[in-house]
Amino acid sequence: MTALAKDTRLHIRCDQEIRRLLDKAAAYAHMSVSEFVLRNAVEQAQSVVQAHEAITLSQDDFAAFLDALDTPAQANPALQRAFFRHAKHVQ
C-alpha cells in the first residue's frame, strides 16, 4: 500500500475479543492496529472487486470471442428494427 496522505477516517466498532485478536495480529505483523486493519481490508476489497469486475476465459473461449469480433453475425429483423429506433431517437 502506498504512503499517501490519509484524509478521511473510518470508525469501526467491535467487541473486546475481536479487539484483542486484532491487537495480537498487528503486533505479530509489527504494525499498528489501524495499519493492519486497513492493509488487510484493502487487500480483501481489491480481491472482491477483481472477482466481480474481471472476466477470465479459457483459451478456447477467448478464441471464440475473437472470432466473433472478427466475423459478427448478420443483423436479424429484430436487431434492424432496434437500430432504426435508436437512430430515430439519437441525433
Side-chain angles (χ1 to χ4, degrees):
M1 198 163 42
T2 60
L4 298 175
K6 296 174 177 86
D7 59 358
T8 186
R9 294 179 89 60
L10 177 65
H11 301 277
I12 300 172
R13 297 183 65 79
C14 64
D15 63 33
Q16 289 181 355
E17 183 179 337
I18 290 173
R19 178 59 196 243
R20 281 192 295 272
L21 178 63
L22 291 172
D23 286 337
K24 186 184 285 189
Y28 285 137
H30 305 289
M31 58 181 74
S32 69
V33 173
S34 292
E35 184 182 6
F36 178 83
V37 169
L38 181 60
R39 180 170 296 185
N40 285 282
V42 168
E43 288 174 6
Q44 182 66 23
Q46 288 170 334
S47 176
V48 169
V49 169
Q50 173 75 16
H52 284 84
E53 294 183 353
I55 298 172
T56 304
L57 300 175
S58 68
Q59 287 184 349
D60 290 340
D61 289 340
F62 184 66
F65 173 73
L66 291 178
D67 186 49
L69 290 176
D70 290 338
T71 55
Q74 295 296 318
N76 62 31
L79 183 58
Q80 289 173 340
R81 287 191 304 274
F83 283 147
F84 178 75
R85 283 192 313 271
H86 175 75
K88 210 165 109 174
H89 295 292
V90 176
Q91 300 291 328

